[in-house]
Amino acid sequence: MNECYYDKRMDFFYNRTKTDTADEWTGPQLIGVLCFGTFFCIFIFISNSLVIAAVVKNKRFHFPFYYLLANLAAADFFAGIAYVFLMFNTGPVSKTLTVNRWFLRQGLLDTSLTASLVNLLVIAVERHMSIMRMKIHSNLTKKRVTFLIISIWAIAIFMGAVPTLGWNCLCDITVCSSLAPIYSRSYLVFWSVLNLVVFFIMVVVYIRIYMYVQRKTNVLSSHTSGSISRRRTPVKLMKTVMTVLGAFVVCWTPGLVVLLLDGLNCTDCGIQHVKRWFLLLALLNSVMNPIIYSYKDDEMWATMKRMICCSSEDRSQERRSSRIPSTVLCRSTDISGHYIEDGIIQGTICGKGDLGDKGNS
């Protein structure tokens, strides 16, 4: 029967796998990485909080696609938490960690990746349901969307806990990997291949949907004089989602390939020297997503700007006239307009002009 090493500290496993990169995170290099990570983690928290708040605040976003987009922002926010925990438990500290604390450190990262990946997969299904019917939004009810979001996080937490539940090398150290000294190489192969396959499937699905939308849009445009916005809005939403997916694949694929090479026990691939930079690239993905939302979706950007500026405008308005109830500030002066399929919505918010034609870009 193999001996288990649950009571050992991580220095035992690092030394056994001859992983010396933990000692390289010292001095100016460690300070630079911590400063870089801290800045971007703060940006991740603020920007993704604004995205979530925008979806909650703006009734134009009260549809399944945007609920899932907000959940993707929540996954990025969680990723920021995982990176903060990693920053305080990396470098020379890595070797002093207990097995359970190291599992927690890696489990948080795995959970955030899985949450983002499964969320993108669910968005792909939602887009397929709606686009094939040439609608902007699917007919998913709020209860079903809530169930999907809960399921996404349940799957993410489970996948992040799989090594802790037993798929590790604590009782068979001959199969330990070098990048993750208490993960078995078979688990790294499974984890990386699974994610890369899902990447490929989603890319193929989105390309096919996008080609279908373009073809249908061209056919409809030659046979109908309907709203231009109606025809373009599905394409705009697809461009937003495909940009988010593209950024996700670009940022995470190098790290997953490195994990796959480590799982295959590639000793001559130099993976120890690149792992830190690929980890920072993965961190960059959580920074990019809010920027993509605001850049590709004018209505999202307008809502985020209003949330930033309206609090100061509210206070100045209250000082000028205490007779104006605060509840009417920053609200639409015309609530009779409803969200319709062409994305054109009547009314103004905070004194701004009609932004309907910009929405859902």
Side-chain angles (χ1 to χ4, degrees):
M1 184 175 180
N2 293 333
E3 181 182 359
C4 296
Y5 299 91
Y6 293 103
D7 58 337
K8 297 290 186 180
R9 290 193 173 271
M10 288 306 300
D11 59 341
F12 171 81
F13 300 97
Y14 278 115
N15 293 335
R16 189 187 177 282
T17 57
K18 299 179 181 179
T19 304
D20 57 0
T21 53
D23 292 331
E24 295 178 6
W25 293 79
T26 57
Q29 187 179 42
L30 179 61
I31 294 174
V33 169
L34 291 177
C35 292
F36 178 87
T38 301
F39 172 78
F40 281 109
C41 283
I42 293 174
F43 180 83
I44 287 171
F45 293 143
I46 296 175
S47 58
N48 284 288
S49 296
L50 284 173
V51 172
I52 297 171
V55 173
V56 173
K57 180 180 177 65
N58 194 334
K59 291 185 178 180
R60 306 181 190 190
F61 297 147
H62 290 187
F63 292 93
F65 171 77
Y66 286 104
Y67 292 145
L68 295 172
L69 206 64
N71 193 52
L72 186 60
D76 288 329
F77 187 96
F78 183 84
I81 297 175
Y83 290 123
V84 169
F85 189 84
L86 174 65
M87 285 192 299
F88 286 98
N89 293 275
T90 191
V93 180
S94 297
K95 290 188 175 183
T96 66
L97 298 178
T98 63
V99 167
N100 290 334
R101 193 171 181 84
W102 195 93
F103 272 137
L104 176 61
R105 190 188 81 172
Q106 298 304 122
L108 291 174
L109 293 173
D110 294 345
T111 299
S112 66
L113 169 60
T114 305
S116 298
L117 182 62
V118 178
N119 204 91
L120 283 171
L121 186 59
V122 172
I123 290 177
V125 175
E126 191 276 341
R127 288 292 84 200
H128 185 274
M129 292 171 57
S130 57
I131 294 300
M132 291 305 169
R133 297 181 177 92
M134 287 307 293
K135 294 183 177 180
I136 299 176
H137 299 291
S138 65
N139 294 324
L140 287 174
T141 63
K142 289 185 178 181
K143 288 185 178 180
R144 290 182 179 179
V145 174
T146 301
F147 173 77
L148 287 173
I149 292 175
I150 294 175
S151 300
I152 288 170
W153 285 101
I155 294 171
I157 293 172
F158 173 76
M159 291 301 295
V162 165
T164 310
L165 298 176
W167 200 344
N168 55 60
C169 63
L170 292 176
C171 295
D172 187 7
I173 58 176
T174 59
V175 298
C176 290
S177 70
S178 61
L179 290 180
I182 56 177
Y183 279 11
S184 63
R185 290 195 296 271
S186 61
Y187 174 75
L188 290 187
V189 172
F190 162 78
W191 173 257
S192 55
V193 169
L194 176 64
N195 285 282
L196 290 172
V197 168
V198 174
F199 283 3
F200 178 77
I201 292 174
M202 286 194 297
V203 169
V204 171
V205 168
Y206 277 119
I207 290 176
R208 291 190 61 183
I209 294 176
Y210 186 76
M211 293 174 63
Y212 174 83
V213 170
Q214 290 284 49
R215 185 170 64 253
K216 283 291 185 180
T217 302
N218 293 335
V219 171
L220 291 175
S221 62
S222 61
H223 292 86
T224 181
S225 58
S227 168
I228 296 177
S229 177
R230 179 186 178 89
R231 296 195 298 267
R232 290 181 179 176
T233 299
V235 179
K236 293 179 180 179
L237 286 178
M238 284 305 303
K239 287 181 178 180
T240 299
V241 175
M242 291 182 69
T243 304
V244 171
L245 176 62
F248 187 82
V249 171
V250 169
C251 290
W252 279 99
T253 298
L256 291 173
V257 171
V258 167
L259 289 178
L260 178 60
L261 292 175
D262 186 32
L264 297 175
N265 200 24
C266 180
T267 57
D268 300 325
C269 297
I271 55 179
Q272 292 288 352
H273 303 293
V274 297
K275 67 174 186 178
R276 73 188 66 174
W277 307 114
F278 289 163
L279 180 62
L280 292 176
L281 181 62
L283 168 64
L284 187 62
N285 177 244
S286 297
V287 175
M288 293 172 61
N289 283 343
I291 298 175
I292 294 172
Y293 305 150
S294 58
Y295 177 76
K296 301 292 290 185
D297 194 322
D298 291 342
E299 179 66 19
M300 177 70 72
W301 173 236
T303 303
M304 293 169 67
K305 286 196 298 183
R306 286 196 296 270
M307 288 191 299
I308 295 173
C309 72
C310 273
S311 58
S312 59
E313 292 180 2
D314 288 349
R315 288 192 293 269
S316 63
Q317 289 283 351
E318 289 172 356
R319 284 195 296 268
R320 286 197 296 267
S321 177
S322 59
R323 293 176 297 176
I324 301 178
S326 60
T327 54
V328 303
L329 295 176
C330 299
R331 293 183 54 189
S332 172
T333 58
D334 179 9
I335 60 174
S336 62
H338 296 282
Y339 192 101
I340 57 179
E341 296 272 315
D342 62 5
I344 301 177
I345 304 175
Q346 301 299 323
T348 58
I349 299 180
C350 285
K352 306 295 183 183
D354 185 5
L355 295 170
D357 289 335
K358 295 183 181 179
N360 303 324
S361 58

